[in-house]
Amino acid sequence: MILQPVVTTATKSINFAAAYQASPRHPVMAAPIYGPLTVTLPVSDEPAAQIAGTIPFNFLDEFYHRIHLKPERIDFVNLIAQQTRTFEVWNAHFDTRLLSAIENTGSYGGLTLSGAPAPPLAYGPLQSRVYTLTAQMAGDPVIEAQFAFNFGTEVVRLSISGRRIVVWPLRPDWAEGLTERLEWLTDVLTAHDGKEQRIRLRRHARRALEMGWIADGRHAMIASTLLAGWGGRKYCVPLWMERDILANAVAAGTTAVTVTDAALKDYRVGGYIVLWASETQTEAIEIAAISGNVITLKTPVANTYPAHSSACPAMVARIDGEARAQRPTDRIMTGRIRFIDEAALDLASQEIGSVWQGYAVLDERPDFSKDAEEDWTRTLEILDNLTGIVVAEDTTGLPVIRRTYGWIIQGRQAIHRWKRWAAARAGRVNPLWLPSFMESVDIVQNIQQSDTAILVRNALHARYAADLPHRAALRIETTAGQVYHRRVTAAAEIDADREQLSLDAALGTAVPVSSIRRALWMGLARLESDALEIHYETDNLARIEATFRIVVQ
């Protein structure tokens, strides 16, 4: 049966008989298909189902319809001069809100608000106001305060914190000098054979500054008042050993100060510079930027400083323990005080001398105006029951050797270099090759280019000290300035006058005895202490004294 589709509408009928003809593309539709098709347009809307729900929160609800305070917290950290901060209060409602009061709580002495009329104050729709918060030096030592902005149904709170810091105004008494102490922290694990494992526990050094001072009259009164009234709090302490004498006057309102050798001193962005004209005219200013020797200040200079005033980098510090003073007369007061830097000192490390076999060599000859010291101790286990024979056992069979040397350092460049050397040691962590700095080997025969053994005067080394760690290597210095380092691999006694030392390699050149300035024993050594002190005789001359301990390899 063949269907005959016919479509009837209100306007016309459509016959599909001619639309579908047999064709290669539509073989199944070769025969015409017919059927009625009725158009029912337009279709009426069917009723939708009623669904219960809520409108989700969106940006409008999250951001508007509230009072905003930006920022909500201001931390002055260390307040060393008057500072200002700005913050914004914004009415994010679409109607007017009334600020009825600003209530302050906590230690808010010396804090003032400005920038807007006093409440009651109307905030129009979407209106904001910028306030200025000023913190003055006169006020509570510790700042912990809140300002509450009361809008009736809403209260927003600004939290304020910080510490006021006073500049220590007294210059050091250079008759006693000034001592800077750098201290790291190391855990040393020692095995029964004397070998060590050294673990660094402190990444950066801690710094202490100790100085004597003298004051009279009014200045003695100021010192007494500061020690009594501010002793447990923080001071901004000038680093007098790094001071500059200003060639020109610095006017009030200046925002940059020019110094000398800024890269060799402890000027750093975020740190402080102290300008000093007298004990009663001094101020500390935060450093905003450093370009060469130009120090850009975060806030303008408050006072005028005449030419020849002092400028120093400074540290924020507290007094270590007790501060003592003496009164030679009823007007004069003297004392010695020690400050502890509250920040870790990040020093770049750099070796002073050459490097050999992976370790630095301490090439700097000590100052022998003061005697060098050397001591030997043994690691003994004593068995003593108090009634019989005492038994002592040398657990390592090796001496514990300590040597103390001192150096005179002159010039800012040299002082800076030694401080970087101290950072390379990091306390007891990193060893170096330590020469004996005394004529300890007497070479008695010319050394040929290919010699791996040398003849020296018999000092009983082969018999008693061939395996000791402080004689692990030899340093040969010539009168022409050449220096050779070689490990000593063996020693043999030739006769009563001579010994033979075997070297790990030939010198590679002929060295006659007449050209040898001296030959020194060398051993690997570390600092005996995690602390190293630099004693400044003046701001340009210092002394370092260090004790080393020979380590077992």
Side-chain angles (χ1 to χ4, degrees), residues 356 373-378 397-403 405 432-438 440-441 459-462 464-475 486-488 501 519-526 548-553:
W356 179 62
E373 298 178 4
E374 186 169 3
D375 65 77
W376 299 265
T377 59
R378 291 280 175 170
L398 299 171
V400 177
I401 302 174
R402 301 179 185 88
R403 292 174 179 165
Y405 301 107
L432 47 61
W433 288 109
L434 180 69
S436 61
F437 294 116
M438 62 184 70
S440 45
V441 178
L460 304 181
H461 169 77
Y464 297 112
D467 298 325
L468 295 185
H470 69 299
R471 297 186 176 186
L474 193 64
R475 175 186 173 95
R486 293 295 183 270
R487 279 192 179 269
V488 178
L501 303 181
L520 313 174
W521 291 117
M522 286 203 316
L524 276 179
R526 61 165 172 83
F548 298 88
R549 180 189 182 114
I550 302 296
V551 298
V552 180
Q553 301 180 52

Short mmCIF file of all heavy atoms in Angstrom, two decimals, residues 356 373-378 397-403 405 432-438 440-441 459-462 464-475 486-488 501 519-526 548-553:
data_model
loop_
_atom_site.label_atom_id
_atom_site.label_comp_id
_atom_site.label_asym_id
_atom_site.label_seq_id
_atom_site.Cartn_x
_atom_site.Cartn_y
_atom_site.Cartn_z
N TRP A 356 93.56 25.70 48.79
CA TRP A 356 94.35 24.53 48.42
C TRP A 356 93.62 23.27 48.86
O TRP A 356 93.17 23.17 50.00
CB TRP A 356 95.74 24.61 49.06
CG TRP A 356 96.61 23.42 48.75
CD1 TRP A 356 97.05 23.02 47.53
CD2 TRP A 356 97.15 22.49 49.70
NE1 TRP A 356 97.83 21.90 47.63
CE2 TRP A 356 97.91 21.54 48.97
CE3 TRP A 356 97.06 22.36 51.08
CZ2 TRP A 356 98.57 20.49 49.57
CZ3 TRP A 356 97.73 21.31 51.69
CH2 TRP A 356 98.47 20.39 50.94
N GLU A 373 100.02 31.97 71.32
CA GLU A 373 99.89 30.94 72.34
C GLU A 373 99.57 29.60 71.70
O GLU A 373 98.89 29.53 70.68
CB GLU A 373 98.80 31.31 73.35
CG GLU A 373 99.07 32.59 74.12
CD GLU A 373 97.94 32.94 75.06
OE1 GLU A 373 96.98 32.14 75.16
OE2 GLU A 373 97.99 34.02 75.68
N GLU A 374 100.07 28.53 72.31
CA GLU A 374 99.78 27.18 71.84
C GLU A 374 99.68 26.26 73.05
O GLU A 374 100.51 26.35 73.97
CB GLU A 374 100.87 26.70 70.88
CG GLU A 374 100.57 25.36 70.24
CD GLU A 374 101.54 25.03 69.11
OE1 GLU A 374 102.48 25.84 68.88
OE2 GLU A 374 101.36 23.99 68.45
N ASP A 375 98.66 25.43 73.08
CA ASP A 375 98.54 24.49 74.19
C ASP A 375 98.14 23.12 73.67
O ASP A 375 97.49 23.00 72.63
CB ASP A 375 97.56 24.99 75.26
CG ASP A 375 96.13 25.07 74.76
OD1 ASP A 375 95.48 24.03 74.66
OD2 ASP A 375 95.67 26.19 74.46
N TRP A 376 98.55 22.09 74.42
CA TRP A 376 98.26 20.70 74.07
C TRP A 376 97.53 20.06 75.26
O TRP A 376 97.99 20.16 76.41
CB TRP A 376 99.55 19.91 73.81
CG TRP A 376 100.39 20.42 72.69
CD1 TRP A 376 100.38 20.00 71.40
CD2 TRP A 376 101.40 21.43 72.76
NE1 TRP A 376 101.31 20.68 70.64
CE2 TRP A 376 101.96 21.57 71.47
CE3 TRP A 376 101.89 22.24 73.79
CZ2 TRP A 376 102.97 22.47 71.18
CZ3 TRP A 376 102.90 23.14 73.50
CH2 TRP A 376 103.43 23.25 72.21
N THR A 377 96.44 19.42 74.97
CA THR A 377 95.74 18.65 75.99
C THR A 377 95.43 17.27 75.42
O THR A 377 95.48 17.06 74.19
CB THR A 377 94.44 19.33 76.45
OG1 THR A 377 93.58 19.50 75.31
CG2 THR A 377 94.70 20.67 77.08
N ARG A 378 95.11 16.35 76.30
CA ARG A 378 94.79 15.00 75.90
C ARG A 378 93.36 14.65 76.34
O ARG A 378 92.89 15.12 77.39
CB ARG A 378 95.77 14.01 76.52
CG ARG A 378 97.18 14.11 75.96
CD ARG A 378 97.30 13.39 74.65
NE ARG A 378 98.63 13.56 74.05
CZ ARG A 378 99.05 12.88 72.99
NH1 ARG A 378 98.26 11.98 72.42
NH2 ARG A 378 100.25 13.11 72.48
N GLY A 397 94.67 8.96 71.34
CA GLY A 397 96.10 8.85 71.05
C GLY A 397 96.66 10.09 70.39
O GLY A 397 97.82 10.10 69.96
N LEU A 398 95.86 11.14 70.31
CA LEU A 398 96.28 12.38 69.64
C LEU A 398 96.11 13.56 70.58
O LEU A 398 95.17 13.59 71.40
CB LEU A 398 95.44 12.62 68.38
CG LEU A 398 95.52 11.55 67.29
CD1 LEU A 398 94.48 11.82 66.21
CD2 LEU A 398 96.91 11.50 66.68
N PRO A 399 96.95 14.57 70.47
CA PRO A 399 96.76 15.75 71.30
C PRO A 399 95.65 16.65 70.73
O PRO A 399 95.41 16.67 69.53
CB PRO A 399 98.12 16.45 71.21
CG PRO A 399 98.64 16.06 69.86
CD PRO A 399 98.15 14.65 69.63
N VAL A 400 95.00 17.36 71.64
CA VAL A 400 94.09 18.44 71.23
C VAL A 400 94.91 19.72 71.25
O VAL A 400 95.33 20.19 72.32
CB VAL A 400 92.88 18.54 72.18
CG1 VAL A 400 92.00 19.72 71.77
CG2 VAL A 400 92.09 17.24 72.16
N ILE A 401 95.16 20.27 70.06
CA ILE A 401 96.08 21.40 69.93
C ILE A 401 95.28 22.67 69.64
O ILE A 401 94.46 22.71 68.72
CB ILE A 401 97.10 21.14 68.80
CG1 ILE A 401 97.88 19.86 69.08
CG2 ILE A 401 98.04 22.33 68.64
CD1 ILE A 401 98.80 19.44 67.96
N ARG A 402 95.55 23.68 70.43
CA ARG A 402 94.92 24.99 70.25
C ARG A 402 96.00 26.04 70.06
O ARG A 402 97.00 26.03 70.78
CB ARG A 402 94.03 25.35 71.44
CG ARG A 402 92.91 24.37 71.72
CD ARG A 402 92.12 24.81 72.95
NE ARG A 402 91.11 23.84 73.32
CZ ARG A 402 91.32 22.80 74.13
NH1 ARG A 402 92.53 22.61 74.64
NH2 ARG A 402 90.35 21.97 74.42
N ARG A 403 95.75 26.94 69.11
CA ARG A 403 96.68 28.03 68.86
C ARG A 403 95.91 29.35 68.82
O ARG A 403 94.84 29.43 68.21
CB ARG A 403 97.40 27.83 67.52
CG ARG A 403 98.36 26.65 67.51
CD ARG A 403 98.92 26.43 66.14
NE ARG A 403 99.86 25.31 66.10
CZ ARG A 403 100.28 24.73 64.98
NH1 ARG A 403 99.84 25.17 63.81
NH2 ARG A 403 101.12 23.72 65.03
N TYR A 405 96.22 33.40 67.86
CA TYR A 405 96.96 34.43 67.12
C TYR A 405 96.14 35.72 67.11
O TYR A 405 94.91 35.71 67.28
CB TYR A 405 97.22 34.01 65.68
CG TYR A 405 98.01 32.73 65.53
CD1 TYR A 405 97.41 31.55 65.11
CD2 TYR A 405 99.37 32.70 65.79
CE1 TYR A 405 98.12 30.38 64.96
CE2 TYR A 405 100.11 31.53 65.65
CZ TYR A 405 99.48 30.37 65.24
OH TYR A 405 100.20 29.22 65.10
N LEU A 432 90.03 25.44 57.94
CA LEU A 432 90.97 25.96 56.95
C LEU A 432 92.36 25.40 57.25
O LEU A 432 92.59 24.78 58.28
CB LEU A 432 90.97 27.50 56.94
CG LEU A 432 91.06 28.30 58.24
CD1 LEU A 432 92.31 28.05 59.04
CD2 LEU A 432 90.89 29.78 57.97
N TRP A 433 93.26 25.64 56.30
CA TRP A 433 94.65 25.25 56.53
C TRP A 433 95.31 26.34 57.38
O TRP A 433 95.35 27.51 57.01
CB TRP A 433 95.40 25.10 55.22
CG TRP A 433 95.02 23.89 54.42
CD1 TRP A 433 94.31 23.85 53.26
CD2 TRP A 433 95.35 22.53 54.72
NE1 TRP A 433 94.16 22.57 52.82
CE2 TRP A 433 94.79 21.72 53.70
CE3 TRP A 433 96.05 21.91 55.75
CZ2 TRP A 433 94.92 20.34 53.68
CZ3 TRP A 433 96.18 20.53 55.74
CH2 TRP A 433 95.63 19.76 54.72
N LEU A 434 95.83 25.91 58.53
CA LEU A 434 96.45 26.85 59.47
C LEU A 434 97.95 26.58 59.53
O LEU A 434 98.38 25.55 60.06
CB LEU A 434 95.83 26.70 60.86
CG LEU A 434 96.40 27.63 61.93
CD1 LEU A 434 96.00 29.08 61.64
CD2 LEU A 434 95.92 27.21 63.31
N PRO A 435 98.79 27.47 58.99
CA PRO A 435 100.25 27.32 59.15
C PRO A 435 100.65 27.55 60.61
O PRO A 435 99.93 28.20 61.38
CB PRO A 435 100.82 28.40 58.23
CG PRO A 435 99.69 28.81 57.32
CD PRO A 435 98.45 28.60 58.11
N SER A 436 101.81 27.04 60.96
CA SER A 436 102.29 27.24 62.33
C SER A 436 102.79 28.66 62.57
O SER A 436 102.92 29.09 63.71
CB SER A 436 103.42 26.25 62.63
OG SER A 436 104.51 26.47 61.75
N PHE A 437 103.09 29.41 61.48
CA PHE A 437 103.59 30.78 61.55
C PHE A 437 104.90 30.88 62.35
O PHE A 437 105.21 31.93 62.90
CB PHE A 437 102.54 31.73 62.13
CG PHE A 437 101.33 31.89 61.25
CD1 PHE A 437 100.09 31.47 61.67
CD2 PHE A 437 101.44 32.46 59.99
CE1 PHE A 437 98.97 31.61 60.87
CE2 PHE A 437 100.32 32.61 59.18
CZ PHE A 437 99.09 32.18 59.61
N MET A 438 105.64 29.80 62.44
CA MET A 438 106.97 29.83 63.05
C MET A 438 107.85 28.86 62.27
O MET A 438 107.37 27.91 61.66
CB MET A 438 106.90 29.43 64.52
CG MET A 438 106.40 28.02 64.77
SD MET A 438 106.25 27.64 66.53
CE MET A 438 104.86 28.69 66.97
N SER A 440 109.41 25.97 61.55
CA SER A 440 109.26 24.66 62.18
C SER A 440 109.96 23.55 61.41
O SER A 440 110.09 22.44 61.93
CB SER A 440 107.77 24.32 62.31
OG SER A 440 107.07 24.62 61.12
N VAL A 441 110.39 23.80 60.16
CA VAL A 441 111.11 22.79 59.37
C VAL A 441 112.34 23.47 58.76
O VAL A 441 112.22 24.51 58.12
CB VAL A 441 110.21 22.21 58.26
CG1 VAL A 441 110.98 21.20 57.42
CG2 VAL A 441 108.97 21.56 58.86
N ALA A 459 114.44 16.81 63.77
CA ALA A 459 113.77 17.37 64.95
C ALA A 459 112.88 16.33 65.61
O ALA A 459 111.91 16.66 66.29
CB ALA A 459 112.95 18.59 64.56
N LEU A 460 113.20 15.04 65.37
CA LEU A 460 112.49 13.91 65.94
C LEU A 460 111.05 13.80 65.44
O LEU A 460 110.20 13.16 66.08
CB LEU A 460 112.50 13.96 67.47
CG LEU A 460 113.88 14.04 68.13
CD1 LEU A 460 113.74 14.07 69.65
CD2 LEU A 460 114.77 12.89 67.70
N HIS A 461 110.79 14.40 64.30
CA HIS A 461 109.43 14.33 63.75
C HIS A 461 109.06 12.90 63.38
O HIS A 461 107.96 12.42 63.72
CB HIS A 461 109.32 15.25 62.52
CG HIS A 461 108.06 15.04 61.74
ND1 HIS A 461 106.85 15.54 62.16
CD2 HIS A 461 107.81 14.38 60.57
CE1 HIS A 461 105.91 15.20 61.29
NE2 HIS A 461 106.46 14.48 60.32
N ALA A 462 109.94 12.20 62.66
CA ALA A 462 109.64 10.84 62.22
C ALA A 462 109.42 9.91 63.41
O ALA A 462 108.63 8.97 63.34
CB ALA A 462 110.77 10.33 61.33
N TYR A 464 108.32 10.76 66.63
CA TYR A 464 107.23 11.02 67.57
C TYR A 464 105.98 11.67 66.97
O TYR A 464 104.91 11.57 67.57
CB TYR A 464 107.74 11.95 68.70
CG TYR A 464 108.82 11.35 69.53
CD1 TYR A 464 110.11 11.86 69.49
CD2 TYR A 464 108.57 10.26 70.36
CE1 TYR A 464 111.12 11.32 70.26
CE2 TYR A 464 109.58 9.70 71.13
CZ TYR A 464 110.85 10.23 71.08
OH TYR A 464 111.84 9.68 71.84
N ALA A 465 106.10 12.34 65.84
CA ALA A 465 104.98 13.17 65.38
C ALA A 465 104.60 12.96 63.93
O ALA A 465 103.94 13.81 63.33
CB ALA A 465 105.32 14.65 65.60
N ALA A 466 104.97 11.82 63.35
CA ALA A 466 104.74 11.64 61.92
C ALA A 466 103.27 11.61 61.55
O ALA A 466 102.90 11.96 60.43
CB ALA A 466 105.41 10.35 61.46
N ASP A 467 102.41 11.17 62.48
CA ASP A 467 100.99 11.03 62.15
C ASP A 467 100.11 12.09 62.81
O ASP A 467 98.88 11.96 62.81
CB ASP A 467 100.49 9.63 62.59
CG ASP A 467 101.21 8.52 61.84
OD1 ASP A 467 101.52 8.73 60.65
OD2 ASP A 467 101.46 7.46 62.45
N LEU A 468 100.69 13.11 63.34
CA LEU A 468 99.89 14.12 64.03
C LEU A 468 99.20 15.05 63.02
O LEU A 468 99.82 15.46 62.03
CB LEU A 468 100.76 14.94 64.98
CG LEU A 468 101.37 14.14 66.15
CD1 LEU A 468 102.11 15.07 67.09
CD2 LEU A 468 100.31 13.35 66.89
N PRO A 469 97.94 15.41 63.27
CA PRO A 469 97.18 16.17 62.28
C PRO A 469 97.69 17.59 62.05
O PRO A 469 97.47 18.16 60.99
CB PRO A 469 95.76 16.19 62.86
CG PRO A 469 95.92 15.94 64.32
CD PRO A 469 97.11 15.04 64.44
N HIS A 470 98.37 18.19 63.02
CA HIS A 470 98.84 19.56 62.81
C HIS A 470 100.09 19.59 61.94
O HIS A 470 100.60 20.67 61.61
CB HIS A 470 99.10 20.25 64.16
CG HIS A 470 100.27 19.71 64.92
ND1 HIS A 470 100.35 18.41 65.35
CD2 HIS A 470 101.42 20.30 65.33
CE1 HIS A 470 101.48 18.21 65.99
NE2 HIS A 470 102.16 19.35 66.00
N ARG A 471 100.60 18.41 61.55
CA ARG A 471 101.74 18.32 60.64
C ARG A 471 101.37 17.54 59.40
O ARG A 471 102.17 16.79 58.84
CB ARG A 471 102.94 17.69 61.35
CG ARG A 471 103.44 18.52 62.52
CD ARG A 471 104.71 17.96 63.12
NE ARG A 471 105.22 18.82 64.18
CZ ARG A 471 106.38 18.63 64.80
NH1 ARG A 471 107.14 17.59 64.46
NH2 ARG A 471 106.78 19.46 65.76
N ALA A 472 100.14 17.71 58.96
CA ALA A 472 99.65 16.95 57.80
C ALA A 472 100.22 17.48 56.49
O ALA A 472 100.28 16.75 55.50
CB ALA A 472 98.12 17.01 57.75
N ALA A 473 100.64 18.74 56.45
CA ALA A 473 101.11 19.34 55.20
C ALA A 473 102.26 20.29 55.49
O ALA A 473 102.53 20.65 56.65
CB ALA A 473 99.97 20.08 54.50
N LEU A 474 102.92 20.70 54.41
CA LEU A 474 104.09 21.58 54.51
C LEU A 474 103.87 22.79 53.61
O LEU A 474 103.36 22.67 52.50
CB LEU A 474 105.33 20.82 54.06
CG LEU A 474 106.70 21.45 54.38
CD1 LEU A 474 106.90 21.54 55.89
CD2 LEU A 474 107.81 20.63 53.73
N ARG A 475 104.22 23.93 54.13
CA ARG A 475 104.15 25.19 53.38
C ARG A 475 105.57 25.72 53.23
O ARG A 475 106.25 25.96 54.23
CB ARG A 475 103.27 26.21 54.11
CG ARG A 475 103.23 27.60 53.47
CD ARG A 475 102.44 28.55 54.37
NE ARG A 475 102.49 29.93 53.90
CZ ARG A 475 101.57 30.50 53.13
NH1 ARG A 475 100.53 29.79 52.70
NH2 ARG A 475 101.68 31.77 52.76
N ARG A 486 102.29 21.23 50.04
CA ARG A 486 102.33 19.81 49.74
C ARG A 486 101.97 19.02 50.99
O ARG A 486 102.34 19.38 52.10
CB ARG A 486 103.73 19.37 49.26
CG ARG A 486 104.15 19.93 47.92
CD ARG A 486 103.29 19.44 46.77
NE ARG A 486 103.75 19.95 45.48
CZ ARG A 486 103.35 21.07 44.92
NH1 ARG A 486 102.48 21.85 45.56
NH2 ARG A 486 103.81 21.43 43.74
N ARG A 487 101.23 17.92 50.76
CA ARG A 487 100.95 17.00 51.87
C ARG A 487 102.20 16.16 52.17
O ARG A 487 102.93 15.78 51.27
CB ARG A 487 99.79 16.09 51.54
CG ARG A 487 98.41 16.74 51.75
CD ARG A 487 97.32 15.70 51.69
NE ARG A 487 96.02 16.28 51.92
CZ ARG A 487 95.43 16.39 53.11
NH1 ARG A 487 96.07 15.95 54.19
NH2 ARG A 487 94.22 16.91 53.22
N VAL A 488 102.40 15.88 53.44
CA VAL A 488 103.49 15.02 53.88
C VAL A 488 102.91 13.62 54.06
O VAL A 488 102.05 13.40 54.92
CB VAL A 488 104.12 15.53 55.19
CG1 VAL A 488 105.22 14.59 55.66
CG2 VAL A 488 104.67 16.94 54.99
N LEU A 501 111.33 13.74 54.47
CA LEU A 501 109.88 13.91 54.39
C LEU A 501 109.43 13.58 52.98
O LEU A 501 109.96 14.15 52.01
CB LEU A 501 109.48 15.34 54.75
CG LEU A 501 109.90 15.87 56.13
CD1 LEU A 501 109.40 17.30 56.32
CD2 LEU A 501 109.39 14.97 57.24
N ALA A 519 109.95 27.31 56.05
CA ALA A 519 109.07 26.17 55.81
C ALA A 519 108.25 25.94 57.07
O ALA A 519 108.81 25.90 58.19
CB ALA A 519 109.87 24.93 55.44
N LEU A 520 106.94 25.81 56.91
CA LEU A 520 106.02 25.75 58.04
C LEU A 520 105.18 24.48 57.96
O LEU A 520 104.77 24.06 56.87
CB LEU A 520 105.08 26.97 58.04
CG LEU A 520 105.70 28.35 57.84
CD1 LEU A 520 104.62 29.39 57.73
CD2 LEU A 520 106.64 28.68 58.98
N TRP A 521 104.91 23.89 59.11
CA TRP A 521 103.91 22.84 59.16
C TRP A 521 102.52 23.46 59.00
O TRP A 521 102.28 24.60 59.40
CB TRP A 521 103.97 22.10 60.50
CG TRP A 521 105.18 21.25 60.73
CD1 TRP A 521 106.12 21.42 61.70
CD2 TRP A 521 105.56 20.09 60.00
NE1 TRP A 521 107.08 20.45 61.63
CE2 TRP A 521 106.76 19.60 60.57
CE3 TRP A 521 105.04 19.41 58.89
CZ2 TRP A 521 107.43 18.49 60.10
CZ3 TRP A 521 105.70 18.29 58.42
CH2 TRP A 521 106.87 17.83 59.02
N MET A 522 101.59 22.68 58.42
CA MET A 522 100.21 23.12 58.29
C MET A 522 99.28 21.96 58.69
O MET A 522 99.58 20.79 58.45
CB MET A 522 99.86 23.51 56.85
CG MET A 522 100.43 24.81 56.38
SD MET A 522 99.50 25.51 54.99
CE MET A 522 99.23 24.08 53.96
N GLY A 523 98.16 22.33 59.30
CA GLY A 523 97.12 21.36 59.61
C GLY A 523 95.77 22.00 59.44
O GLY A 523 95.63 23.23 59.48
N LEU A 524 94.76 21.18 59.21
CA LEU A 524 93.40 21.71 59.14
C LEU A 524 92.95 22.12 60.54
O LEU A 524 93.15 21.38 61.52
CB LEU A 524 92.44 20.66 58.57
CG LEU A 524 92.35 20.56 57.05
CD1 LEU A 524 91.37 19.47 56.65
CD2 LEU A 524 91.93 21.88 56.44
N ALA A 525 92.34 23.29 60.63
CA ALA A 525 91.92 23.80 61.93
C ALA A 525 90.60 24.56 61.78
O ALA A 525 90.28 25.06 60.71
CB ALA A 525 92.99 24.73 62.52
N ARG A 526 89.86 24.60 62.85
CA ARG A 526 88.64 25.40 62.91
C ARG A 526 88.74 26.35 64.09
O ARG A 526 89.64 26.24 64.94
CB ARG A 526 87.42 24.50 63.09
CG ARG A 526 87.45 23.67 64.37
CD ARG A 526 86.10 23.08 64.69
NE ARG A 526 86.13 22.14 65.80
CZ ARG A 526 86.09 22.47 67.07
NH1 ARG A 526 86.05 23.76 67.42
NH2 ARG A 526 86.08 21.54 68.02
N PHE A 548 92.35 28.78 67.42
CA PHE A 548 92.05 27.70 66.48
C PHE A 548 92.29 26.35 67.14
O PHE A 548 93.16 26.21 68.01
CB PHE A 548 92.92 27.82 65.23
CG PHE A 548 92.71 29.08 64.44
CD1 PHE A 548 93.43 30.24 64.74
CD2 PHE A 548 91.78 29.14 63.42
CE1 PHE A 548 93.24 31.40 64.03
CE2 PHE A 548 91.58 30.30 62.70
CZ PHE A 548 92.31 31.44 63.00
N ARG A 549 91.55 25.38 66.67
CA ARG A 549 91.70 24.00 67.16
C ARG A 549 92.01 23.11 65.96
O ARG A 549 91.26 23.10 64.97
CB ARG A 549 90.42 23.54 67.85
CG ARG A 549 90.46 22.12 68.39
CD ARG A 549 89.06 21.71 68.84
NE ARG A 549 89.03 20.38 69.41
CZ ARG A 549 88.77 20.09 70.67
NH1 ARG A 549 88.52 21.08 71.52
NH2 ARG A 549 88.72 18.85 71.11
N ILE A 550 93.11 22.37 66.02
CA ILE A 550 93.48 21.44 64.95
C ILE A 550 92.46 20.30 64.91
O ILE A 550 92.09 19.75 65.96
CB ILE A 550 94.89 20.88 65.16
CG1 ILE A 550 95.91 22.03 65.24
CG2 ILE A 550 95.26 19.92 64.05
CD1 ILE A 550 96.04 22.84 63.97
N VAL A 551 91.97 19.96 63.72
CA VAL A 551 90.98 18.90 63.59
C VAL A 551 91.62 17.66 62.97
O VAL A 551 92.58 17.75 62.20
CB VAL A 551 89.78 19.36 62.74
CG1 VAL A 551 89.08 20.53 63.39
CG2 VAL A 551 90.20 19.73 61.33
N VAL A 552 91.07 16.51 63.32
CA VAL A 552 91.54 15.24 62.79
C VAL A 552 90.85 14.98 61.46
O VAL A 552 89.63 15.09 61.36
CB VAL A 552 91.25 14.09 63.78
CG1 VAL A 552 91.74 12.76 63.21
CG2 VAL A 552 91.90 14.39 65.13
N GLN A 553 91.62 14.65 60.45
CA GLN A 553 91.05 14.42 59.13
C GLN A 553 90.59 12.96 58.99
O GLN A 553 91.22 12.06 59.51
CB GLN A 553 92.07 14.75 58.05
CG GLN A 553 92.55 16.20 58.12
CD GLN A 553 93.55 16.51 57.05
OE1 GLN A 553 93.32 16.26 55.88
NE2 GLN A 553 94.70 17.01 57.45
#
